């Protein structure tokens, strides 16, 4: 037991405070004073093992304290009373309950207490008994007795063991003595043998000794052998062998499963389809069967042999030798190259064959076989694609558990190296197959099928529902209304955007998709996106007001058909901006690739895809970058960690730009760098574009001839590496204006790298137009360069030639046959003239066109590509992150200066000039398309003389205005406040004022709901108020305002309201069930699992990463929890100082979800009287007053 306790006054006061508030037992007791006959009434409080007493119940400072540990409490009889005093007083004293607390410490007097009632006295005695820890002390004593007993037993056993050890030593001594006696006896026996030869019987004692010796020798041998075996079992070598054997067993099981899959493929599909192809009415031809299944039957035979060899090796277990099997298998694995190389074509043939109803019906019958287990034919055709990587992984694990001195170590290493070499050859085909599997899911949804989705270079970008306006007539939109039900029903289209094509489909009642007969598949290379209508276009102005500026145009100019325009309507301006941004990004990438292809087309060994694949900096880890295994939309591995320099290098790489990377970078760049650094990099790329191309690519770029390479690569400089605006090159092109459409020029890459093709598809205003047809077959990749719509329409009164600074003088376009162009043909725009110049680079040099001029034109194209990249990044930055420029005026001015510098570029194309002007216009506007309400504006507009009361407002009005207010507050949060967990810092009000304002608004709305319910004095009115608020919450749920639902349910779950049992008894069962459903929806269990699932069920636009169809107001705390989990779980930088870009990607994904909800506003009219009621802080009652009012309405029931 502890003899003393050290404490200070602060500890005592704090314990006294806890005793008064949370004490086990509290109440008044009479304490006997030092004088034998005087009792003083004190207020006692018991907390754990300390008993405090106070002068009164309201006293804040204790008068004394007792430490009850180790004490005992017993009842004492009432002390004898003198006869003095009234008889009633003496009877009252006799009825009182007396008890004494005896302390175990020496010199401490007992504490004598009494209380008025016997029951209270017993409760006090029981509480003091528990506080004395007497039971624990008794248990401790019992345990100590047991411990002492066990110690005695251990000591006894030790003594017995010592005695036995001594006995064994004595026995060993005795054995040695007996051995010596036996030796002596044997010698004596040998000497006495002649005299005792007649004695043939051996002494029985000797026999016993021999038996003992034999037993001891056997026991020692067995013990030694057991020790050797146990030591080996526990050795690392044995552990490696066990793991190695387990890997082999697993490989045999996987091989068995793989052979079974190939058996189903061959016997369940291949052979039945061969028989069907031989029937009278074959649903498929033998050639198609061979094209679909390729050499899968040969692969099956090969692996059956390999599988039999593995099983034979298992029969010789534990001697497992596998290297010779791989030596036999390796030469035959080259058949996989043929399978992988033609796998894409196999899937394409299969998709074409499925258009035949008979074949599709027959194939579904085969797939219904139970052996297929619900898997389709495409699944079985994909299994061989992963077998080689599986072997590599298995061999890697085997080598990890194979000792270096093992007999087959070298053979396994050789097999692994050969398989890795084969895998590298097949890697590109495997990646393409993964991409095609994603596209096949969409292709199977389309009834007519879509062959372009079988192209491995097609990467899915986004999909969603848009409304297509009826076709234009002579450039004029049909007069339709956006709110028309017929337009929404008949014009709704399911649109799919890929990297090269744009699909427009209609959805049937059964859910199937049908491509539009005209304009269902749009090649982006033939499209021009018109983001903003020209100011001179009156019809565009009208349509803009008619459709609320939600429409955008895609002008399609196919080479073999008349041009047409597709007009689409987005659900909101933000949705329109997202579609246009992604479409323009895809078009820019195609044009950039086309330009880069023209640059490198002279050298047949250099192409842009090959240049990307051969650049190890794009896929190989280094000290300043680390990649993940996931590929982005440009078929390049995503960045996992990287330095700031490498991230900026990726941002400005002219060969490609991933949309995901751009969005992630612009969302999170302020974590690891500043806007000034980013803008400086963009400016540097614009002025010195060759710094954005790796050195190896530049070497290939200038490798036109040995002499030319030496001329332009000296000291890494070129005559036109930097822009010189003061002295532009002499550029001119003859152009004649015409009211008809300008020429469309395509930059084409020939199928043969040595022969280029120039496609000039012109549209003439005369009855007999002159047409240029290509001499080679149409190539699969085409880059389009054309002027903007405003530049296409010429002035009919202008007939004089116009000087264009975009095309070199020696590359003027001339009519075929040497005839000059006349007014009957369309003019060549500056963009077309530039395209003619660049496209002619692959056809040999005309007279006077030397290698130096050709290289200069290559540099010219690179500078044009760099300008497009800078404008592309700036357009995304300004349109999607306008807050960066609103808060940083210096950054805004620097961007304006850069754009003005771009406009002064004499080589600028009209399309680039218009894009620059659009960015300037968007950046110069003070309030950029800001039609949204702000909370401060709403408060100013609600200054009406009289506010509505709760009884006169309907549930619909309340729900709509709550939703409007919640969305206004939610929308006001800038996305930079979601970075760095500022809402959890001490200076959170300064770092994240809008997030704190959102939290404050949530609490005020919840307080208003609770206060309104508690304002009613009668039960029926309170029950009606609860039912009305639950109805408001349900309407908020229908409006997708889950923040409002949580505001109301949180108020109803407050203790002041939840405890009103009589009030809740008056609430209807339907309301209670509805409230339970709402609470379950917004519950925080499982990281808001139910709320996330609810958002997914409301999904209408699958392109939205947040899954819910805006407008909506999600609960902000759900996203703050996700961001806190990401921030606390992973650092921003690695130990090497690299940026954790995987974390940036996760943060960007969440911010994109939040911003999608912020950007789409509700179409709800503001009602000032309702809003004034909702924002009236005079109606709000604080939490303590609410609880006191609740106790007054329904007091606590007696215990």
């Amino acid at each position: 037991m502890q003899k003393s306790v050290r404490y200070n006054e602060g500890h005592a006061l704090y314990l006294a405070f806890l005793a008064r508030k949370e004490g086990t037992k509290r109440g008044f007791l009479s304490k006997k004073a030092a004088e034998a006959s005087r009792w003083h009434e004190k207020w006692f409080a018991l907390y754990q093992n300390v008993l405090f007493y106070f002068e009164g119940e309201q006293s804040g400072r204790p008068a004394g304290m007792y430490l009850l540990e180790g004490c005992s409490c017993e009842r004492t009889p009432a002390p004898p009373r003198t006869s003095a005093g009234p008889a009633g007083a003496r009877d009252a004293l006799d009825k009182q309950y007396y008890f004494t607390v005896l302390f175990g410490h020496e010199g401490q007097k007992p504490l004598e207490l009494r209380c008025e009632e016997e029951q209270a006295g017993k409760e006090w005695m029981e509480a003091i008994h528990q506080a004395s820890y007497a039971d624990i002390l008794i248990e401790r004593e019992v345990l100590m007795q047991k411990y002492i007993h066990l110690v005695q037993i251990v000591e006894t056993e030790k003594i017995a063991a010592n005695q036995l050890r001594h006995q064994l030593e004595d026995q060993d001594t005795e054995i040695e003595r007996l051995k010596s006696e036996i030796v002596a006896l044997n010698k004596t026996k040998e000497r006495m043998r002649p005299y005792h030869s007649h004695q043939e019987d051996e002494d029985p004692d000797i026999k016993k000794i021999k038996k003992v010796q034999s037993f001891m020798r056997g026991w020692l041998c067995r013990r030694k052998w057991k020790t050797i075996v146990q030591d080996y079992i526990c050795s690392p070598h044995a552990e490696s062998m066990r793991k190695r054997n387990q890997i082999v067993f697993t490989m045999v099981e996987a091989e068995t499963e793989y052979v079974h899959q190939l058996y189903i493929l061959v016997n369940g599909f291949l052979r039945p389809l061969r028989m069907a192809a031989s029937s009278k009415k074959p649903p498929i031809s033998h050639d198609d069967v061979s094209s679909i299944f390729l050499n899968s039957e040969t692969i099956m035979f090969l692996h059956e042999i390999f599988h039999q060899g593995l099983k034979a090796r298992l029969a010789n277990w534990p001697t497992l030798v596998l290297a010779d099997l791989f030596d036999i298998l390796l030469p035959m694995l080259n058949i996989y190259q043929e399978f992988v190389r033609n796998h894409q074509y196999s899937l394409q043939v299969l998709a074409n064959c499925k258009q035949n109803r008979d074949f599709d019906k027959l194939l579904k019958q085969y797939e219904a076989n139970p052996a297929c287990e619900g898997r389709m034919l495409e699944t079985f055709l994909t299994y061989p694609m992963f077998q080689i990587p599986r072997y590599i992984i298995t061999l890697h694990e085997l080598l990890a558990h194979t000792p270096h001195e093992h007999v087959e170590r070298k053979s396994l290493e050789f097999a692994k190296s050969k398989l890795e070499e084969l895998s590298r050859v097949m890697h590109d085909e495997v990646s393409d197959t993964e991409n095609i599997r994603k596209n096949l899911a969409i292709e199977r949804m389309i009834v007519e099928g879509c062959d372009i989705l079988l192209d491995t270079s097609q990467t899915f970008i986004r999909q969603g529902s848009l409304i297509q306006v009826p076709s234009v007539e002579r450039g004029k939109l049909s007069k339709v209304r956006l709110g028309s039900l017929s337009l929404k029903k008949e014009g709704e289209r399911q649109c799919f955007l890929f990297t090269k094509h744009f699909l427009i489909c209609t959805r049937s009642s059964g859910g199937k998709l049908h491509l539009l007969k005209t304009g269902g598949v749009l090649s982006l290379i033939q499209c021009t996106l018109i983001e903003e209508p020209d100011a001179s276009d009156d019809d565009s102005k009208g349509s803009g007001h008619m459709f609320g500026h939600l429409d955008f145009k895609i002008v399609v100019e196919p080479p073999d058909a008349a041009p047409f325009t597709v007009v689409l309507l987005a659900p909101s301006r933000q949705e329109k901006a997202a579609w246009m941004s992604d479409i323009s990004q895809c078009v820019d990438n195609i044009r950039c690739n086309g330009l880069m292809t023209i640059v490198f087309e002279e050298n047949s060994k250099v192409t842009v895809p090959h240049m990307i694949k051969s650049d190890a900096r794009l896929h190989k880890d280094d000290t300043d970058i680390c990649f993940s295994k996931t590929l982005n939309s440009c078929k390049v591995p995503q960045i996992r960690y990287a330095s700031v320099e490498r991230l900026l290098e990726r941002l400005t790489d002219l060969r490609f730009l991933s949309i995901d990377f751009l969005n992630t970078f612009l969302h999170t760049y302020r974590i690891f760098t500043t806007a000034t650094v980013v803008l400086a990099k963009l400016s540097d790329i614009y002025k010195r574009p060759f710094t954005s191309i790796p050195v190896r690519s530049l070497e290939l770029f200038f490798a036109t001839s040995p002499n030319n390479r030496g001329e332009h690569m000296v000291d890494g400089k070129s005559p036109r590496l930097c822009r010189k605006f003061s002295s532009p090159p002499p550029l001119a092109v003859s152009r004649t204006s015409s009211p008809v459409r300008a020429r469309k020029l395509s930059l084409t890459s020939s199928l043969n790298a040595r022969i280029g093709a120039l496609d000039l598809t012109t549209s003439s205003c005369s009855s007999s137009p002159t047409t240029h047809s290509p001499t080679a077959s149409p190539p699969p990749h085409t880059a389009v360069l054309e002027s903007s719509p405003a530049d296409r329409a010429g002035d009919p009164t202008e007939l004089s030639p116009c000087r264009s600074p975009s095309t070199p003088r020696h590359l003027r376009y001339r009519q075929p046959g040497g005839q000059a162009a006349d007014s009957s043909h369309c003019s060549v725009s500056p963009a077309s003239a530039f395209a003619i110049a660049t496209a002619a680079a692959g056809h040999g040099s005309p007279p006077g066109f030397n290698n130096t001029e050709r290289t200069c034109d290559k540099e010219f194209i690179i500078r044009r590509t760099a300008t497009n990249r800078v404008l592309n990044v700036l357009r995304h930055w300004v349109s999607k992150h306008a807050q960066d420029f609103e808060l940083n005026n210096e950054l805004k001015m620097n961007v304006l200066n850069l754009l003005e510098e771009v406009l002064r570029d004499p080589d600028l194309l009209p399309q680039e000039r218009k894009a620059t002007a659009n960015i300037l216009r968007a950046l110069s506007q003070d309030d950029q398309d800001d039609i949204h309400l702000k909370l401060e504006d709403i408060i100013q507009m609600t200054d009406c003389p009289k506010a509505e009361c709760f009884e006169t407002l309907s549930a619909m009005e309340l729900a709509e205005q709550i939703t409007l207010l919640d969305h206004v507050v939610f929308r006001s949060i800038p996305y930079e406040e979601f970075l760095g967990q500022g809402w959890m810092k001490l200076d959170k009000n300064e770092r994240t004022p809008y997030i704190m304002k959102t939290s404050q608004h949530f609490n005020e709305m919840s307080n208003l709901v609770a206060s309104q319910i508690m304002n009613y004095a009668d039960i029926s009115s309170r029950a009606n108020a609860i039912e009305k608020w639950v109805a408001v919450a349900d309407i908020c749920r229908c409006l997708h305002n889950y923040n409002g639902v949580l505001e109301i349910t949180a108020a109803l779950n407050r203790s002041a309201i939840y405890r009103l049992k009589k009030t809740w008894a008056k609430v209807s069962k339907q309301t209670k069930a509805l409230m339970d459903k709402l609470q379950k929806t917004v519950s925080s269990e499982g990281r808001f699992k139910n709320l996330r699932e609810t958002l997914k069920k409301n999904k209408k636009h699958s392109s939205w990463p947040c899954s819910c169809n805006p407008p909506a107001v999600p609960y902000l705390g759900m996203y703050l929890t996700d961001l806190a989990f990401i921030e606390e779980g992973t650092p921003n930088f690695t130990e090497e100082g690299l940026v954790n870009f995987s974390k940036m990607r996760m943060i960007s994904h969440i911010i994109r979800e939040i911003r999608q909800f912020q950007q789409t506003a509700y179409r709800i009219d503001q009602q000032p009287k309702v809003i004034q009621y909702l924002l009236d802080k005079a109606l709000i009652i604080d939490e303590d007053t609410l609880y006191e009012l609740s106790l007054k309405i329904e007091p606590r029931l007696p215990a």
Side-chain angles (χ1 to χ4, degrees), residues 1063-1083:
T1063 303
W1064 284 102
K1066 290 286 187 178
V1067 178
S1068 63
K1069 294 181 179 180
Q1070 295 82 356
T1071 302
K1072 292 179 180 179
L1074 178 58
M1075 182 179 174
D1076 292 339
K1077 179 181 177 182
L1078 295 174
Q1079 287 178 339
K1080 186 177 180 181
T1081 301
V1082 296
S1083 173

Side-chain angles (χ1 to χ4, degrees), residues 931-985:
I931 62 172
H932 301 305
L933 292 172
K934 294 183 179 179
L935 187 61
E936 293 76 8
D937 300 335
I938 293 178
I939 294 176
Q940 293 178 359
M941 289 186 292
T942 54
D943 294 335
C944 52
K946 182 180 179 182
E948 294 284 346
C949 60
F950 179 71
E951 293 81 3
T952 59
L953 298 175
S954 66
M956 179 63 73
E957 291 175 333
L958 287 171
E960 287 183 347
Q961 299 307 305
I962 289 175
T963 300
L964 179 62
L965 288 176
D966 287 349
H967 191 269
V968 168
V969 175
F970 176 73
R971 186 183 59 233
S972 64
I973 305 175
Y975 75 91
E976 58 265 17
E977 289 194 7
F978 296 110
L979 303 175
Q981 283 184 286
W983 63 90
M984 299 178 67
K985 308 298 182 182

Side-chain angles (χ1 to χ4, degrees), residues 775-1013:
T775 58
S777 59
H781 302 289
T782 308
V784 178
L785 290 175
E786 52 193 330
S787 60
S788 61
D791 295 319
R792 286 201 190 100
D795 186 0
T797 62
E798 182 184 358
L799 298 177
S800 61
C802 175
R803 179 180 177 86
S804 172
S806 60
T807 307
R809 181 172 54 241
H810 57 271
L811 293 179
R812 294 179 183 175
Y813 175 71
R814 302 180 185 278
Q815 291 290 342
Q819 297 179 359
D822 57 4
S823 60
S824 64
H825 289 81
C826 299
S827 65
V828 180
S829 66
S832 301
F834 162 65
I836 294 173
T838 56
H843 299 274
S845 301
F849 186 42
N850 53 31
N851 289 335
T852 303
E853 292 171 338
R854 184 181 304 161
T855 304
C856 292
D857 289 317
K858 286 184 177 181
E859 297 174 3
F860 183 76
I861 295 175
I862 293 296
R863 291 194 289 110
R864 298 270 55 81
T865 308
T867 302
N868 284 330
R869 174 53 45 81
V870 172
L871 294 178
N872 190 9
V873 175
L874 288 177
R875 183 178 69 244
H876 278 74
W877 198 356
V878 171
S879 62
K880 294 185 178 181
H881 306 273
Q883 294 173 346
D884 292 3
F885 305 95
E886 295 173 1
L887 302 176
N888 191 343
N889 189 54
E890 181 181 358
L891 174 65
K892 181 178 179 180
M893 296 306 299
N894 291 336
V895 174
L896 290 174
N897 294 335
L898 176 60
L899 292 174
E900 291 173 357
E901 183 179 354
V902 173
L903 285 177
R904 290 194 296 269
D905 186 356
D907 295 342
L908 202 64
L909 297 180
Q911 183 182 9
E912 297 170 348
R913 190 175 300 278
K914 182 176 181 180
T916 307
N918 288 337
I919 300 173
L920 271 173
R921 183 168 56 252
L923 193 60
S924 301
Q925 293 176 356
D926 294 334
D927 194 4
Q928 190 175 13
D929 194 19
D930 189 6
I931 62 172
H932 301 305
L933 292 172
K934 294 183 179 179
L935 187 61
E936 293 76 8
D937 300 335
I938 293 178
I939 294 176
Q940 293 178 359
M941 289 186 292
T942 54
D943 294 335
C944 52
K946 182 180 179 182
E948 294 284 346
C949 60
F950 179 71
E951 293 81 3
T952 59
L953 298 175
S954 66
M956 179 63 73
E957 291 175 333
L958 287 171
E960 287 183 347
Q961 299 307 305
I962 289 175
T963 300
L964 179 62
L965 288 176
D966 287 349
H967 191 269
V968 168
V969 175
F970 176 73
R971 186 183 59 233
S972 64
I973 305 175
Y975 75 91
E976 58 265 17
E977 289 194 7
F978 296 110
L979 303 175
Q981 283 184 286
W983 63 90
M984 299 178 67
K985 308 298 182 182
L986 294 178
D987 55 345
K988 55 187 176 183
N989 292 323
E990 291 76 19
R991 297 182 62 173
T992 57
Y994 289 95
I995 290 181
M996 301 314 299
K997 185 182 296 184
T998 304
S999 177
Q1000 179 185 357
H1001 176 73
F1002 182 95
N1003 295 332
E1004 290 176 353
M1005 293 302 300
S1006 184
N1007 289 336
L1008 176 65
V1009 174
S1011 303
Q1012 185 63 55
I1013 295 173

